[in-house]
């Protein structure tokens, strides 16, 4: 298997993961509950420990993910994509 084929498989797997996340409300809730601490922690560190700002940015991140999910191309992990 070439690197190109392997990369295409990873990309396809990531797109499938994203599709599964949005396949149902319960799937999204499960993803959200798992991703929330990591996204919040990342943003909390980035905004100097300001809880209010981190909470607002976390909310905006997940709202944007829902709105922009069709733009996810699978080149990055879903959590990486959320923080990009």
């Amino acid at each position: 298997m070439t690197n190109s084929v392997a990369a295409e498989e990873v990309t396809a797997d990531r797109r499938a993961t994203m599709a599964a996340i949005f396949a149902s409300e319960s799937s999204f809730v499960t993803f959200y509950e798992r991703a929330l601490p990591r996204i919040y922690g990342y943003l909390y560190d980035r905004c100097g420990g300001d809880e209010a700002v981190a909470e607002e940015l976390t909310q905006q991140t997940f709202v944007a993910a829902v709105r922009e999910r069709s733009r996810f191309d699978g080149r990055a992990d879903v959590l990486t994509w959320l923080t990009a």
Side-chain angles (χ1 to χ4, degrees), residues 35-55:
L36 179 64
R38 290 184 64 191
I39 299 301
Y40 175 82
Y42 172 81
L43 294 169
Y44 179 83
D45 288 344
R46 292 287 180 175
C47 65
D50 187 321
E51 290 180 15
V53 172
E55 289 171 4

Side-chain angles (χ1 to χ4, degrees), residues 2-46:
T2 66
N3 287 341
S4 175
V5 172
E8 289 175 20
E9 289 177 1
V10 168
T11 299
D13 287 346
R14 288 174 176 161
R15 285 194 305 261
T17 297
M18 180 64 99
I21 288 167
F22 288 98
S24 69
E25 184 177 337
S26 64
S27 295
F28 182 78
V29 168
T30 298
F31 166 75
Y32 176 81
E33 289 173 348
R34 289 182 183 161
L36 179 64
R38 290 184 64 191
I39 299 301
Y40 175 82
Y42 172 81
L43 294 169
Y44 179 83
D45 288 344
R46 292 287 180 175

